[in-house]
Amino acid sequence: MIQESRFACGGITVGVVISHTVFDGTSMSVFIRTWAAMANRSSDHQQIVINPNFDAAISFPPVDAFPKEALLPPILGQFFRQGKCALRRLVFDASAIARLKAMATSSGVKNPSRVEVVSALLCESTMKAKAGIRRSILITHPVNMRRRTVPAISESVVGNFVWLAAAAVLADEDLGRSSLLGKMREAILKIDSDLVKSLQEGESLLKLVNEIGGAAAAGFEAVMFGSWCNFGLYKVDFGWGHPWWVTNLPGYEFTKSGFTSMHFLTDTRDNGIEAWAYMDEEEMSVLEKDKELLDFASVDPSPLSLSNSDPHP
């Protein structure tokens, strides 16, 4: 679904709702970038029209024996709970991320990325907010399998090529931020070309899904991440100039059955990261007062303050 809204001030918003069954983040960004390139007919624009490819089943043939109840939404739904939830927007500017990277490097982490350091801080703060629960935590992060296939799958191929990396933190483990980052990185590195090949052949699919389901059955609490970082959406130009603000909210499919702790990450215009935190109301009241988190993040700043540069030169 697509909705355009025009405001009396002259501003325009374009809202897009996608189904993850059809699109992953890469497919979505290619669709929006190509749509904009086709709409913007100025001779000096540098956007590229990408013709869609619908041959995804060649790379990942359908598995007839795969039961619908073993898909990720039902599996992840086992972590969801009923109750009052809260939503907050946290913005990490480029200087805050530089400090987080420097701290991670000094702790022995090599070449930490923006997404890694922000995810580790959010995970640490979320676990502190859940301190009274003292349950084991399963941290999940999406992984783009397109880059891990041999040969790599082109971004023009429409489909959902995302798998979840899952890292377990046991209740009796007292881990610092760098250790949490290391656990997440280790889980992501396990999704390599060999694992993707076994998924393509249908050998490991049920096994991996059942491992996540097993953690839910064992009473693990989930801290889930989603990311739209590095999709180039701030370069989209329909002919009105580059967008002032691009953001992403958790979709209905993630929230209709309840909620768990989720953090959705997107880029900011100044190479920072914006995070939508979605979690228990009481836990959120603890998270948004975390002094260490607030040393790096601003809570719900005005989008107009995200950058001093004018998007319309």
Side-chain angles (χ1 to χ4, degrees):
M1 296 187 292
I2 297 170
Q3 176 175 303
E4 177 190 295
S5 301
R6 292 176 178 263
F7 301 94
C9 65
I12 300 172
T13 64
V14 177
V16 180
V17 177
I18 65 170
S19 168
H20 232 311
T21 304
V22 181
F23 277 174
D24 57 10
T26 300
S27 296
M28 175 277 305
S29 67
V30 167
F31 168 74
I32 293 177
R33 285 187 281 127
T34 295
W35 172 25
M38 295 175 69
N40 187 348
R41 299 184 179 182
S42 63
S43 59
D44 60 345
H45 79 91
Q46 298 180 350
Q47 298 179 107
I48 299 173
V49 173
I50 300 175
N51 293 320
N53 180 316
F54 297 99
D55 293 332
I58 293 176
S59 299
F60 282 86
V63 179
D64 295 334
F66 191 75
K68 291 183 179 179
E69 58 271 18
L71 293 171
L72 278 178
I75 292 294
L76 294 179
Q78 297 178 67
F79 293 102
F80 288 11
R81 51 182 165 146
Q82 300 300 318
K84 293 183 178 181
C85 59
L87 185 66
R88 296 288 186 275
R89 179 170 149 268
L90 305 169
V91 177
F92 303 81
D93 64 24
S95 62
I97 290 176
R99 286 192 290 135
L100 286 170
K101 284 186 174 183
M103 293 171 69
T105 301
S106 66
S107 298
V109 179
K110 294 183 178 180
N111 301 317
S113 69
R114 291 183 306 145
V115 171
E116 283 181 324
V117 295
V118 169
S119 296
L121 175 59
L122 286 170
C123 189
E124 180 185 47
S125 298
T126 302
M127 291 175 67
K128 285 191 289 186
K130 296 175 178 289
I133 298 176
R134 298 310 301 171
R135 292 168 63 181
S136 297
I137 301 290
L138 188 72
I139 307 166
T140 68
H141 222 298
V143 175
N144 183 356
M145 292 191 293
R146 296 168 184 268
R147 304 169 186 170
R148 288 168 165 77
T149 59
V150 179
I153 297 173
S154 168
E155 67 174 18
S156 67
V157 179
V158 177
N160 185 21
F161 296 92
V162 174
W163 192 249
L164 290 183
V169 180
L170 301 181
D172 58 355
E173 290 185 276
D174 187 13
L175 299 180
R177 192 186 313 155
S178 60
S179 297
L180 289 171
L181 194 160
K183 270 187 172 282
M184 287 190 291
R185 177 178 282 189
E186 182 181 356
I188 290 171
L189 289 175
K190 286 181 180 179
I191 304 179
D192 56 14
S193 59
D194 290 335
L195 178 59
V196 172
K197 182 179 179 180
S198 69
L199 288 172
Q200 290 174 308
E201 296 171 353
E203 295 177 359
S204 300
L205 199 53
L206 278 172
K207 178 183 176 183
L208 291 174
V209 170
N210 288 334
E211 286 179 358
I212 296 176
F220 277 66
E221 182 90 1
V223 177
M224 301 179 184
F225 287 88
S227 176
W228 276 17
C229 292
N230 302 312
F231 284 160
L233 295 178
Y234 275 97
K235 297 179 181 178
V236 169
D237 185 356
F238 287 91
W240 313 316
H242 295 151
W244 186 273
W245 183 29
V246 178
T247 194
N248 171 31
L249 284 173
Y252 175 68
E253 68 270 21
F254 287 103
T255 60
K256 63 182 177 181
S257 301
F259 70 95
T260 188
S261 299
M262 298 182 184
H263 301 292
F264 290 81
L265 312 181
T266 55
D267 295 320
T268 66
R269 294 183 66 234
D270 66 350
N271 205 35
I273 286 182
E274 174 180 285
W276 284 96
Y278 184 80
M279 57 195 295
D280 177 82
E281 199 173 58
E282 292 184 4
E283 294 171 0
M284 182 67 79
S285 67
V286 177
L287 180 84
E288 63 185 350
K289 296 174 185 174
D290 185 325
K291 292 182 179 180
E292 187 167 12
L293 177 63
L294 295 179
D295 187 38
F296 297 96
S298 300
V299 180
D300 198 25
S302 166
L304 297 180
S305 68
L306 295 181
S307 175
N308 293 323
S309 59
D310 189 340
H312 303 290

